[in-house]
Amino acid sequence: MNRSVYRSFTTQVLPLPYPKEDFTGKTVLITGANTGIGLEAARHFVRLNASKVILGCRDVEKGNAAKRDIESTNHVDATSNPGRVEMWQVDLASFDSVKNFCQRAAKLDRLDIVVENAGILGMTYTVAEGYERITTVNVISTWLMALLLLPVLRATKEKFHTGSAESRGDSNVPHLVIVGSNAHFYTVFDGRDKPSIMEHYRGDSDMFHRYANTKLISLFFAREVAARMLERKGRGKPEVVLNVVEPGSCKTQLLREKEAWPWAYKAFVTVGFGLVGRTAEMGARTYIWAAAAGWKSHGLYLEDCKLSTPHEFVESAEGAKLQKKIYGELVEILEKISPGVTENI
Ligand SMILES: NC(=O)c1ccc[n+]([C@@H]2O[C@H](COP(=O)([O-])OP(=O)(O)OC[C@H]3O[C@@H](n4cnc5c(N)ncnc54)[C@H](OP(=O)(O)O)[C@@H]3O)[C@@H](O)[C@H]2O)c1
C-alpha cells in the first residue's frame, strides 16, 4: 500500500484553522496528555472553556507537570477552581490499569469527549499482557478503553443532550475520537492472509511496519464498531459519534525509539519530519475539530480538519472482509479481558 507522497507533503505545510469551538460545560478525557499532541489538545480544550479536562497519563510525575503547565498557560487558578484540570494515571500496557481507569470514569457525572491519543511507535519486539507491546497499547487497550467508556458517553447524551444529532447536525453529541495515522497507507499488511491476524501479530513478524499495522487494524475495528453502533441506535441506544483522526506528521516524542531503526529509514524520517513536520499544537487542532465534528463524521477517517478517506484498500472488497475478520478476532480478545464489554457497542 502507498499514498501520494506529494499530497502528504503539501498538506503538511499548510496551516490548519485555529480552533474556536466552545466546550463550555463539557468534560473531556484525553489519554497520553503529558506530552506531544495530547498535551497541546488538552491545552486547547481548557482554553476553549471545557469544565473539566482529564489528562490520562502513564507517568504520574510527568502528568502532574503537564497539568501545572496547562494551568499556567491558560491562567487556571487551581486553588479556587480545583478539578478543572485533573490528572489520572493509566498505563495502556496493563489491562487492569485500563479497567481501573474506566471504572473511575464511569463514576463521572458526565463525559462528553474522549480522545484516545496515547500510542507508541517502535520496532523492537517486546510483550505486554501476552501480546506484542505496540499491538497491546495501540489496539487492544485502546479499544478496551473505548468500549468500557461508551456507557458513560451514552449516559451523558441521555442526561445532557436532547434531540438527535442528525436533525440538529450539531457537535453537542458525545464524541469518541480514536487517534489513527496515515502510516496505514504505507504498509504491506503481511497479516492479511493469515488464518488469525491477531495471532500473527502476537509474534514478531514485520516489526518495521508494526506501528502502521496497528493503526490499520484499529481503523478497521473502528469502522465496524461505528457501523454496529448505527444498527444498535436503531434499537434504542443513544448516539455517540465515533471517528478516527490522523493529526499529520508532527514533531513530538513519537520517534523516541528511533535509535534502534535501520539508518536509512532513520535518516529519511528525521529529514522529512524536520522539513515538513507540524508542531504538536498544529496537529492538536485536528483533534479539536474531530471532537466537535458531529454526526457527519461518524465512522469516518479525518485529516487536516476535514472529513477524509482512508487508503482505498480499506474500502475495497478485500478490506471489507478483513474488517469483519478483525472485528471478530478483537471481540474475542476483548471479551476474554472484560466479559460482556462488547455488548457496550
Ligand atoms: N507525531 C506524529 O507524527 C503522529 C502522526 C500520526 C499519528 N500520531 C499519533 O498521535 C498520538 C500521539 O502521539 P505523539 O506524536 O504526541 O507522541 P508522543 O509525544 O510520544 O506522545 C505519546 C503519548 O502517549 C503516551 N503513552 C505511550 N504509551 C503509553 C501507555 N502504555 N500508557 C499510557 N500512555 C502511553 C505517552 O506517555 P509517556 O510520555 O509517559 O511515554 C505520551 O503521553 C499517537 O497515537 C500517535 O500514533 C502521531
Side-chain angles (χ1 to χ4, degrees):
M1 288 187 229
N2 55 44
R3 179 186 217 196
S4 156
V5 173
Y6 173 76
R7 185 197 171 278
S8 305
F9 272 60
T10 48
T11 54
Q12 276 288 129
V13 293
L14 299 174
L16 299 169
Y18 192 65
K20 294 199 173 89
E21 288 82 354
D22 183 17
F23 296 101
T24 299
K26 294 193 177 177
T27 296
V28 180
L29 185 161
I30 175 156
T31 62
N34 59 285
T35 187
I37 311 168
L39 170 63
E40 296 311 321
R43 206 187 306 280
H44 274 304
F45 281 121
V46 174
R47 177 182 63 78
L48 295 166
N49 305 319
S51 295
K52 190 191 285 283
V53 177
I54 299 165
L55 317 176
C57 301
R58 162 166 62 178
D59 184 298
V60 171
E61 239 172 72
K62 287 193 216 168
N64 282 329
K67 174 179 175 317
R68 287 191 297 273
D69 183 32
I70 293 169
E71 285 172 340
S72 66
T73 52
N74 282 287
H75 310 293
V76 175
D77 180 349
T79 318
S80 67
N81 194 1
R84 174 122 192 261
V85 185
E86 292 187 8
M87 199 291 295
W88 295 12
Q89 200 273 337
V90 64
D91 182 356
L92 273 76
S94 155
F95 297 148
D96 278 345
S97 174
V98 173
K99 286 197 243 181
N100 291 337
F101 181 82
C102 293
Q103 270 168 18
R104 187 174 175 191
K107 295 189 192 122
L108 287 165
D109 181 41
R110 66 187 294 170
L111 180 59
D112 300 83
I113 293 165
V114 173
V115 182
E116 289 214 56
N117 159 77
I120 42 173
L121 191 168
M123 293 186 193
T124 312
Y125 180 77
T126 44
V127 174
E129 295 284 18
Y131 290 86
E132 183 281 319
R133 152 192 80 126
I134 302 164
T135 311
T136 297
V137 171
N138 293 1
V139 180
I140 304 174
S141 284
T142 292
W143 282 101
L144 178 64
M145 182 180 291
L147 301 193
L148 286 171
L149 293 179
L150 266 178
V152 60
L153 287 162
R154 286 207 174 97
T156 304
K157 157 76 181 138
E158 292 278 80
K159 272 200 253 174
F160 299 101
H161 308 292
T162 50
S164 93
E166 293 103 319
S167 65
R168 292 177 305 155
D170 70 9
S171 57
N172 257 332
V173 170
H175 281 59
L176 172 57
V177 177
I178 304 291
V179 175
S181 171
N182 76 1
H184 85 272
F185 278 83
Y186 303 97
T187 173
V188 290
F189 198 42
D190 68 327
R192 68 212 272 176
D193 299 325
K194 303 295 176 213
S196 165
I197 293 168
M198 293 307 290
E199 275 309 307
H200 179 68
Y201 289 123
R202 220 191 248 264
D204 63 356
S205 151
D206 195 7
M207 288 305 295
F208 184 75
H209 290 109
R210 182 57 61 111
Y211 170 76
N213 288 335
T214 61
K215 292 293 182 178
L216 180 60
I217 290 171
S218 186
L219 176 60
F220 273 130
F221 194 72
R223 288 163 57 87
E224 189 63 24
V225 170
R228 285 169 191 255
M229 282 165 78
L230 276 184
E231 284 166 23
R232 296 191 188 189
K233 183 169 79 80
R235 300 204 294 271
K237 281 215 178 175
E239 304 147 317
V240 170
V241 171
L242 162 63
N243 57 40
V244 177
V245 65
E246 128 71 13
S249 302
C250 303
K251 294 173 202 163
T252 63
Q253 292 177 38
L254 189 67
L255 311 180
R256 60 181 92 179
E257 297 184 21
K258 76 174 192 271
E259 286 320 311
W261 298 359
W263 72 266
Y265 185 69
K266 189 166 61 177
F268 171 76
V269 169
T270 307
V271 172
F273 272 65
L275 284 175
V276 297
R278 287 176 176 159
T279 60
E281 186 282 316
M282 189 64 75
R285 296 181 191 190
T286 64
Y287 292 8
I288 309 303
W289 195 87
W295 199 250
K296 63 183 184 302
S297 72
H298 184 70
L300 297 190
Y301 178 74
L302 321 179
E303 6 172 46
D304 304 330
C305 301
K306 288 184 199 135
L307 305 182
S308 188
T309 46
H311 190 283
E312 59 194 25
F313 170 74
V314 174
E315 295 181 332
S316 68
E318 186 187 354
K321 276 193 209 148
L322 282 174
Q323 182 170 311
K324 300 269 180 223
K325 185 171 161 68
I326 285 167
Y327 179 81
E329 290 187 20
L330 256 175
V331 160
E332 215 172 284
I333 292 169
L334 293 168
E335 282 294 327
K336 279 191 190 131
I337 302 166
S338 179
V341 70
T342 60
E343 278 308 302
N344 293 347
I345 294 167

Short mmCIF file of all heavy atoms in Angstrom, two decimals, residues 95-153:
data_model
loop_
_atom_site.label_atom_id
_atom_site.label_comp_id
_atom_site.label_asym_id
_atom_site.label_seq_id
_atom_site.Cartn_x
_atom_site.Cartn_y
_atom_site.Cartn_z
N PHE A 95 -3.90 -4.22 31.21
CA PHE A 95 -5.36 -4.26 31.08
C PHE A 95 -6.04 -3.87 32.40
O PHE A 95 -7.08 -3.21 32.40
CB PHE A 95 -5.84 -5.65 30.63
CG PHE A 95 -5.33 -6.06 29.26
CD1 PHE A 95 -5.07 -7.40 28.98
CD2 PHE A 95 -5.13 -5.13 28.26
CE1 PHE A 95 -4.61 -7.79 27.72
CE2 PHE A 95 -4.67 -5.50 27.00
CZ PHE A 95 -4.41 -6.84 26.72
N ASP A 96 -5.44 -4.28 33.53
CA ASP A 96 -6.04 -3.92 34.82
C ASP A 96 -6.02 -2.40 35.01
O ASP A 96 -6.98 -1.83 35.53
CB ASP A 96 -5.28 -4.59 35.98
CG ASP A 96 -5.74 -6.02 36.16
OD1 ASP A 96 -6.80 -6.38 35.61
OD2 ASP A 96 -5.04 -6.79 36.84
N SER A 97 -4.93 -1.78 34.59
CA SER A 97 -4.85 -0.33 34.73
C SER A 97 -5.95 0.34 33.90
O SER A 97 -6.62 1.27 34.36
CB SER A 97 -3.46 0.15 34.28
OG SER A 97 -3.40 1.54 34.27
N VAL A 98 -6.16 -0.15 32.68
CA VAL A 98 -7.21 0.42 31.82
C VAL A 98 -8.58 0.22 32.47
O VAL A 98 -9.41 1.14 32.52
CB VAL A 98 -7.17 -0.22 30.41
CG1 VAL A 98 -8.36 0.25 29.56
CG2 VAL A 98 -5.86 0.12 29.70
N LYS A 99 -8.80 -0.97 33.01
CA LYS A 99 -10.10 -1.25 33.62
C LYS A 99 -10.34 -0.35 34.84
O LYS A 99 -11.43 0.20 35.01
CB LYS A 99 -10.18 -2.73 34.03
CG LYS A 99 -10.34 -3.66 32.84
CD LYS A 99 -10.82 -5.02 33.29
CE LYS A 99 -9.81 -6.08 33.00
NZ LYS A 99 -10.19 -7.42 33.38
N ASN A 100 -9.31 -0.19 35.67
CA ASN A 100 -9.46 0.67 36.85
C ASN A 100 -9.75 2.11 36.46
O ASN A 100 -10.59 2.79 37.05
CB ASN A 100 -8.20 0.62 37.73
CG ASN A 100 -8.04 -0.73 38.38
OD1 ASN A 100 -9.02 -1.47 38.55
ND2 ASN A 100 -6.80 -1.09 38.72
N PHE A 101 -9.03 2.55 35.45
CA PHE A 101 -9.21 3.92 34.94
C PHE A 101 -10.67 4.12 34.47
O PHE A 101 -11.31 5.12 34.78
CB PHE A 101 -8.22 4.10 33.78
CG PHE A 101 -8.22 5.45 33.13
CD1 PHE A 101 -7.52 6.51 33.68
CD2 PHE A 101 -8.88 5.66 31.92
CE1 PHE A 101 -7.47 7.75 33.06
CE2 PHE A 101 -8.84 6.89 31.29
CZ PHE A 101 -8.14 7.94 31.86
N CYS A 102 -11.17 3.14 33.75
CA CYS A 102 -12.53 3.26 33.20
C CYS A 102 -13.58 3.15 34.30
O CYS A 102 -14.64 3.79 34.22
CB CYS A 102 -12.76 2.22 32.11
SG CYS A 102 -11.74 2.53 30.66
N GLN A 103 -13.29 2.35 35.33
CA GLN A 103 -14.23 2.28 36.47
C GLN A 103 -14.35 3.64 37.13
O GLN A 103 -15.43 4.07 37.53
CB GLN A 103 -13.74 1.26 37.50
CG GLN A 103 -14.28 -0.14 37.22
CD GLN A 103 -13.55 -1.19 38.05
OE1 GLN A 103 -12.90 -0.88 39.04
NE2 GLN A 103 -13.66 -2.43 37.62
N ARG A 104 -13.22 4.31 37.23
CA ARG A 104 -13.23 5.65 37.82
C ARG A 104 -14.04 6.61 36.93
O ARG A 104 -14.85 7.40 37.40
CB ARG A 104 -11.77 6.13 37.97
CG ARG A 104 -11.63 7.41 38.71
CD ARG A 104 -10.16 7.73 38.93
NE ARG A 104 -10.01 9.04 39.53
CZ ARG A 104 -8.86 9.68 39.65
NH1 ARG A 104 -7.75 9.12 39.24
NH2 ARG A 104 -8.81 10.89 40.20
N ALA A 105 -13.80 6.50 35.61
CA ALA A 105 -14.50 7.39 34.67
C ALA A 105 -16.00 7.13 34.67
O ALA A 105 -16.80 8.05 34.45
CB ALA A 105 -13.93 7.20 33.26
N ALA A 106 -16.39 5.89 34.94
CA ALA A 106 -17.82 5.55 34.94
C ALA A 106 -18.56 6.29 36.05
O ALA A 106 -19.78 6.45 35.99
CB ALA A 106 -17.98 4.04 35.12
N LYS A 107 -17.82 6.78 37.05
CA LYS A 107 -18.48 7.49 38.16
C LYS A 107 -18.63 8.99 37.87
O LYS A 107 -19.19 9.73 38.68
CB LYS A 107 -17.65 7.31 39.44
CG LYS A 107 -17.62 5.86 39.89
CD LYS A 107 -16.98 5.73 41.26
CE LYS A 107 -16.67 4.28 41.56
NZ LYS A 107 -15.27 4.01 41.85
N LEU A 108 -18.10 9.44 36.74
CA LEU A 108 -18.22 10.87 36.42
C LEU A 108 -19.68 11.24 36.20
O LEU A 108 -20.46 10.43 35.67
CB LEU A 108 -17.44 11.18 35.14
CG LEU A 108 -15.91 11.19 35.23
CD1 LEU A 108 -15.29 11.15 33.82
CD2 LEU A 108 -15.43 12.43 35.98
N ASP A 109 -20.00 12.46 36.56
CA ASP A 109 -21.36 12.94 36.34
C ASP A 109 -21.64 13.02 34.84
O ASP A 109 -22.75 12.76 34.37
CB ASP A 109 -21.47 14.33 36.99
CG ASP A 109 -22.86 14.90 36.82
OD1 ASP A 109 -23.81 14.12 36.99
OD2 ASP A 109 -22.98 16.10 36.51
N ARG A 110 -20.62 13.39 34.09
CA ARG A 110 -20.75 13.44 32.63
C ARG A 110 -19.39 13.23 31.98
O ARG A 110 -18.35 13.51 32.57
CB ARG A 110 -21.37 14.76 32.17
CG ARG A 110 -20.51 15.98 32.44
CD ARG A 110 -21.24 17.27 32.14
NE ARG A 110 -21.53 17.42 30.72
CZ ARG A 110 -22.33 18.38 30.22
NH1 ARG A 110 -22.91 19.25 31.03
NH2 ARG A 110 -22.54 18.47 28.93
N LEU A 111 -19.43 12.70 30.77
CA LEU A 111 -18.21 12.56 29.97
C LEU A 111 -18.63 12.80 28.53
O LEU A 111 -19.35 12.00 27.93
CB LEU A 111 -17.61 11.16 30.14
CG LEU A 111 -16.32 10.89 29.35
CD1 LEU A 111 -15.20 11.87 29.73
CD2 LEU A 111 -15.83 9.46 29.58
N ASP A 112 -18.23 13.95 28.00
CA ASP A 112 -18.71 14.37 26.68
C ASP A 112 -17.77 13.99 25.55
O ASP A 112 -18.21 13.77 24.43
CB ASP A 112 -18.88 15.90 26.66
CG ASP A 112 -19.87 16.37 27.71
OD1 ASP A 112 -19.46 16.51 28.89
OD2 ASP A 112 -21.05 16.55 27.38
N ILE A 113 -16.47 14.01 25.85
CA ILE A 113 -15.49 13.79 24.78
C ILE A 113 -14.37 12.90 25.31
O ILE A 113 -13.81 13.17 26.38
CB ILE A 113 -14.91 15.14 24.30
CG1 ILE A 113 -16.01 15.96 23.60
CG2 ILE A 113 -13.71 14.93 23.36
CD1 ILE A 113 -15.66 17.42 23.40
N VAL A 114 -14.07 11.87 24.55
CA VAL A 114 -12.89 11.04 24.86
C VAL A 114 -11.98 11.09 23.64
O VAL A 114 -12.43 10.82 22.52
CB VAL A 114 -13.29 9.58 25.15
CG1 VAL A 114 -12.05 8.70 25.30
CG2 VAL A 114 -14.16 9.49 26.40
N VAL A 115 -10.74 11.46 23.85
CA VAL A 115 -9.76 11.42 22.77
C VAL A 115 -8.71 10.38 23.14
O VAL A 115 -7.93 10.58 24.08
CB VAL A 115 -9.10 12.79 22.53
CG1 VAL A 115 -8.11 12.71 21.35
CG2 VAL A 115 -10.13 13.87 22.28
N GLU A 116 -8.74 9.27 22.43
CA GLU A 116 -7.76 8.21 22.72
C GLU A 116 -6.52 8.46 21.87
O GLU A 116 -6.42 8.04 20.72
CB GLU A 116 -8.38 6.85 22.44
CG GLU A 116 -9.43 6.51 23.48
CD GLU A 116 -9.48 5.04 23.78
OE1 GLU A 116 -8.43 4.47 24.15
OE2 GLU A 116 -10.56 4.46 23.61
N ASN A 117 -5.60 9.19 22.49
CA ASN A 117 -4.42 9.67 21.80
C ASN A 117 -3.17 8.85 22.13
O ASN A 117 -2.26 8.76 21.31
CB ASN A 117 -4.23 11.15 22.20
CG ASN A 117 -2.82 11.64 22.00
OD1 ASN A 117 -2.41 11.92 20.88
ND2 ASN A 117 -2.05 11.74 23.08
N ALA A 118 -3.10 8.27 23.33
CA ALA A 118 -1.88 7.57 23.75
C ALA A 118 -1.52 6.50 22.72
O ALA A 118 -2.38 5.74 22.26
CB ALA A 118 -2.08 6.93 25.12
N GLY A 119 -0.27 6.47 22.36
CA GLY A 119 0.17 5.48 21.37
C GLY A 119 1.67 5.41 21.32
O GLY A 119 2.36 6.32 21.78
N ILE A 120 2.17 4.32 20.75
CA ILE A 120 3.63 4.17 20.64
C ILE A 120 4.03 3.69 19.26
O ILE A 120 3.27 2.97 18.58
CB ILE A 120 4.22 3.19 21.69
CG1 ILE A 120 3.34 1.95 21.85
CG2 ILE A 120 4.49 3.90 22.98
CD1 ILE A 120 3.99 0.89 22.74
N LEU A 121 5.22 4.10 18.88
CA LEU A 121 5.82 3.66 17.62
C LEU A 121 7.17 3.05 17.96
O LEU A 121 8.00 3.69 18.60
CB LEU A 121 6.00 4.87 16.70
CG LEU A 121 6.37 4.66 15.24
CD1 LEU A 121 6.20 5.97 14.47
CD2 LEU A 121 7.78 4.15 15.02
N GLY A 122 7.37 1.81 17.58
CA GLY A 122 8.66 1.17 17.85
C GLY A 122 8.90 0.05 16.86
O GLY A 122 8.00 -0.30 16.09
N MET A 123 10.09 -0.48 16.88
CA MET A 123 10.38 -1.62 16.01
C MET A 123 10.98 -2.78 16.80
O MET A 123 11.34 -3.80 16.24
CB MET A 123 11.36 -1.20 14.91
CG MET A 123 10.74 -0.20 13.95
SD MET A 123 11.83 0.16 12.59
CE MET A 123 11.01 1.59 11.89
N THR A 124 11.10 -2.58 18.11
CA THR A 124 11.69 -3.63 18.95
C THR A 124 10.56 -4.50 19.49
O THR A 124 9.55 -3.97 19.97
CB THR A 124 12.43 -2.97 20.14
OG1 THR A 124 13.24 -1.93 19.62
CG2 THR A 124 13.28 -3.97 20.89
N TYR A 125 10.76 -5.80 19.41
CA TYR A 125 9.71 -6.72 19.87
C TYR A 125 9.77 -6.91 21.38
O TYR A 125 10.76 -7.40 21.91
CB TYR A 125 9.87 -8.08 19.17
CG TYR A 125 8.81 -9.08 19.58
CD1 TYR A 125 7.52 -8.99 19.06
CD2 TYR A 125 9.10 -10.08 20.49
CE1 TYR A 125 6.55 -9.90 19.45
CE2 TYR A 125 8.13 -11.00 20.88
CZ TYR A 125 6.85 -10.90 20.35
OH TYR A 125 5.88 -11.79 20.73
N THR A 126 8.72 -6.50 22.06
CA THR A 126 8.57 -6.85 23.48
C THR A 126 7.10 -7.17 23.72
O THR A 126 6.23 -6.80 22.91
CB THR A 126 9.00 -5.73 24.44
OG1 THR A 126 8.48 -4.50 23.97
CG2 THR A 126 10.48 -5.61 24.62
N VAL A 127 6.84 -7.82 24.82
CA VAL A 127 5.49 -8.32 25.08
C VAL A 127 4.87 -7.59 26.26
O VAL A 127 5.53 -7.31 27.25
CB VAL A 127 5.57 -9.85 25.35
CG1 VAL A 127 4.22 -10.40 25.78
CG2 VAL A 127 6.07 -10.58 24.10
N ALA A 128 3.60 -7.26 26.12
CA ALA A 128 2.83 -6.71 27.25
C ALA A 128 1.48 -7.41 27.25
O ALA A 128 0.78 -7.43 26.22
CB ALA A 128 2.64 -5.19 27.09
N GLU A 129 1.11 -7.98 28.37
CA GLU A 129 -0.17 -8.70 28.52
C GLU A 129 -0.32 -9.84 27.49
O GLU A 129 -1.42 -10.11 27.00
CB GLU A 129 -1.36 -7.73 28.39
CG GLU A 129 -1.44 -6.69 29.49
CD GLU A 129 -1.96 -7.26 30.82
OE1 GLU A 129 -1.94 -8.49 31.00
OE2 GLU A 129 -2.36 -6.45 31.67
N GLY A 130 0.80 -10.46 27.13
CA GLY A 130 0.72 -11.63 26.25
C GLY A 130 0.68 -11.30 24.77
O GLY A 130 0.71 -12.20 23.93
N TYR A 131 0.60 -10.02 24.44
CA TYR A 131 0.63 -9.60 23.04
C TYR A 131 1.84 -8.71 22.81
O TYR A 131 2.43 -8.19 23.76
CB TYR A 131 -0.66 -8.83 22.68
CG TYR A 131 -1.86 -9.73 22.65
CD1 TYR A 131 -2.57 -10.01 23.81
CD2 TYR A 131 -2.26 -10.35 21.47
CE1 TYR A 131 -3.65 -10.87 23.80
CE2 TYR A 131 -3.34 -11.21 21.44
CZ TYR A 131 -4.03 -11.47 22.61
OH TYR A 131 -5.08 -12.34 22.59
N GLU A 132 2.18 -8.55 21.56
CA GLU A 132 3.27 -7.64 21.23
C GLU A 132 2.87 -6.25 21.75
O GLU A 132 1.73 -5.82 21.60
CB GLU A 132 3.49 -7.67 19.70
CG GLU A 132 4.64 -6.83 19.21
CD GLU A 132 4.29 -5.38 19.13
OE1 GLU A 132 3.15 -5.07 18.68
OE2 GLU A 132 5.11 -4.55 19.53
N ARG A 133 3.81 -5.55 22.37
CA ARG A 133 3.52 -4.34 23.14
C ARG A 133 2.80 -3.23 22.34
O ARG A 133 1.87 -2.60 22.85
CB ARG A 133 4.86 -3.85 23.69
CG ARG A 133 5.04 -2.38 23.95
CD ARG A 133 6.49 -2.07 24.21
NE ARG A 133 7.23 -1.99 22.95
CZ ARG A 133 7.98 -0.95 22.57
NH1 ARG A 133 8.10 0.08 23.36
NH2 ARG A 133 8.62 -0.96 21.42
N ILE A 134 3.21 -3.00 21.09
CA ILE A 134 2.58 -1.91 20.32
C ILE A 134 1.14 -2.27 19.98
O ILE A 134 0.23 -1.43 20.03
CB ILE A 134 3.42 -1.61 19.05
CG1 ILE A 134 4.85 -1.25 19.46
CG2 ILE A 134 2.82 -0.47 18.23
CD1 ILE A 134 5.85 -1.32 18.33
N THR A 135 0.94 -3.55 19.70
CA THR A 135 -0.42 -4.03 19.44
C THR A 135 -1.27 -3.90 20.70
O THR A 135 -2.44 -3.48 20.64
CB THR A 135 -0.36 -5.52 19.00
OG1 THR A 135 0.63 -5.64 17.97
CG2 THR A 135 -1.68 -6.00 18.50
N THR A 136 -0.69 -4.21 21.85
CA THR A 136 -1.44 -4.10 23.11
C THR A 136 -1.86 -2.65 23.35
O THR A 136 -3.02 -2.38 23.66
CB THR A 136 -0.56 -4.60 24.30
OG1 THR A 136 -0.29 -5.98 24.07
CG2 THR A 136 -1.26 -4.43 25.62
N VAL A 137 -0.90 -1.74 23.19
CA VAL A 137 -1.20 -0.33 23.51
C VAL A 137 -2.09 0.30 22.45
O VAL A 137 -3.14 0.89 22.75
CB VAL A 137 0.12 0.47 23.67
CG1 VAL A 137 -0.16 1.97 23.79
CG2 VAL A 137 0.90 -0.03 24.88
N ASN A 138 -1.69 0.18 21.17
CA ASN A 138 -2.38 0.92 20.10
C ASN A 138 -3.71 0.30 19.69
O ASN A 138 -4.56 1.00 19.12
CB ASN A 138 -1.49 1.01 18.86
CG ASN A 138 -0.25 1.86 19.07
OD1 ASN A 138 -0.04 2.38 20.15
ND2 ASN A 138 0.58 2.00 18.05
N VAL A 139 -3.86 -1.00 19.96
CA VAL A 139 -5.10 -1.64 19.51
C VAL A 139 -5.92 -2.15 20.71
O VAL A 139 -7.03 -1.66 20.97
CB VAL A 139 -4.82 -2.81 18.54
CG1 VAL A 139 -6.13 -3.45 18.09
CG2 VAL A 139 -4.01 -2.35 17.34
N ILE A 140 -5.37 -3.14 21.42
CA ILE A 140 -6.24 -3.87 22.37
C ILE A 140 -6.68 -2.96 23.52
O ILE A 140 -7.87 -2.83 23.81
CB ILE A 140 -5.54 -5.15 22.89
CG1 ILE A 140 -5.13 -6.03 21.70
CG2 ILE A 140 -6.46 -5.92 23.83
CD1 ILE A 140 -4.32 -7.26 22.05
N SER A 141 -5.71 -2.29 24.16
CA SER A 141 -6.09 -1.42 25.29
C SER A 141 -6.87 -0.20 24.83
O SER A 141 -7.77 0.27 25.54
CB SER A 141 -4.84 -0.97 26.04
OG SER A 141 -4.35 -2.01 26.84
N THR A 142 -6.53 0.30 23.65
CA THR A 142 -7.26 1.46 23.13
C THR A 142 -8.74 1.10 22.98
O THR A 142 -9.63 1.87 23.39
CB THR A 142 -6.65 1.89 21.77
OG1 THR A 142 -5.34 2.41 22.04
CG2 THR A 142 -7.49 2.94 21.07
N TRP A 143 -9.00 -0.09 22.46
CA TRP A 143 -10.41 -0.47 22.25
C TRP A 143 -11.07 -0.98 23.52
O TRP A 143 -12.28 -0.82 23.70
CB TRP A 143 -10.52 -1.44 21.07
CG TRP A 143 -10.42 -0.62 19.81
CD1 TRP A 143 -9.34 -0.46 19.01
CD2 TRP A 143 -11.43 0.26 19.31
NE1 TRP A 143 -9.62 0.45 18.02
CE2 TRP A 143 -10.89 0.90 18.18
CE3 TRP A 143 -12.74 0.57 19.69
CZ2 TRP A 143 -11.62 1.83 17.42
CZ3 TRP A 143 -13.47 1.49 18.94
CH2 TRP A 143 -12.91 2.11 17.83
N LEU A 144 -10.28 -1.56 24.41
CA LEU A 144 -10.83 -1.93 25.72
C LEU A 144 -11.37 -0.66 26.39
O LEU A 144 -12.50 -0.61 26.88
CB LEU A 144 -9.74 -2.58 26.57
CG LEU A 144 -10.13 -2.98 27.99
CD1 LEU A 144 -11.21 -4.05 28.00
CD2 LEU A 144 -8.90 -3.47 28.77
N MET A 145 -10.54 0.37 26.37
CA MET A 145 -10.96 1.63 26.97
C MET A 145 -12.18 2.21 26.25
O MET A 145 -13.16 2.64 26.89
CB MET A 145 -9.81 2.64 26.94
CG MET A 145 -10.17 3.95 27.60
SD MET A 145 -8.84 5.16 27.58
CE MET A 145 -7.67 4.46 28.70
N ALA A 146 -12.14 2.22 24.94
CA ALA A 146 -13.25 2.81 24.17
C ALA A 146 -14.58 2.14 24.53
O ALA A 146 -15.57 2.81 24.82
CB ALA A 146 -12.97 2.67 22.67
N LEU A 147 -14.57 0.82 24.55
CA LEU A 147 -15.83 0.11 24.79
C LEU A 147 -16.26 0.24 26.25
O LEU A 147 -17.46 0.31 26.55
CB LEU A 147 -15.72 -1.36 24.37
CG LEU A 147 -15.37 -1.61 22.90
CD1 LEU A 147 -15.62 -3.07 22.54
CD2 LEU A 147 -16.15 -0.71 21.94
N LEU A 148 -15.29 0.29 27.17
CA LEU A 148 -15.65 0.47 28.58
C LEU A 148 -16.21 1.87 28.84
O LEU A 148 -16.98 2.07 29.79
CB LEU A 148 -14.44 0.21 29.49
CG LEU A 148 -14.03 -1.26 29.65
CD1 LEU A 148 -12.69 -1.38 30.39
CD2 LEU A 148 -15.11 -2.06 30.40
N LEU A 149 -15.83 2.83 28.01
CA LEU A 149 -16.30 4.21 28.23
C LEU A 149 -17.59 4.54 27.49
O LEU A 149 -18.24 5.55 27.78
CB LEU A 149 -15.20 5.22 27.84
CG LEU A 149 -13.95 5.20 28.73
CD1 LEU A 149 -12.93 6.22 28.24
CD2 LEU A 149 -14.30 5.49 30.20
N LEU A 150 -17.97 3.70 26.55
CA LEU A 150 -19.19 4.01 25.78
C LEU A 150 -20.42 4.22 26.67
O LEU A 150 -21.19 5.15 26.43
CB LEU A 150 -19.46 2.92 24.74
CG LEU A 150 -18.90 3.19 23.34
CD1 LEU A 150 -19.20 2.01 22.41
CD2 LEU A 150 -19.47 4.47 22.74
N PRO A 151 -20.64 3.39 27.72
CA PRO A 151 -21.84 3.61 28.53
C PRO A 151 -21.89 5.00 29.19
O PRO A 151 -22.96 5.61 29.23
CB PRO A 151 -21.77 2.50 29.59
CG PRO A 151 -20.97 1.42 28.93
CD PRO A 151 -19.96 2.14 28.08
N VAL A 152 -20.75 5.50 29.66
CA VAL A 152 -20.80 6.81 30.32
C VAL A 152 -20.98 7.93 29.28
O VAL A 152 -21.65 8.93 29.53
CB VAL A 152 -19.60 7.03 31.28
CG1 VAL A 152 -18.29 6.97 30.60
CG2 VAL A 152 -19.71 8.34 32.03
N LEU A 153 -20.46 7.71 28.08
CA LEU A 153 -20.71 8.69 26.99
C LEU A 153 -22.21 8.69 26.65
O LEU A 153 -22.83 9.74 26.46
CB LEU A 153 -19.88 8.33 25.76
CG LEU A 153 -18.37 8.60 25.86
CD1 LEU A 153 -17.59 7.84 24.79
CD2 LEU A 153 -18.07 10.09 25.74
#
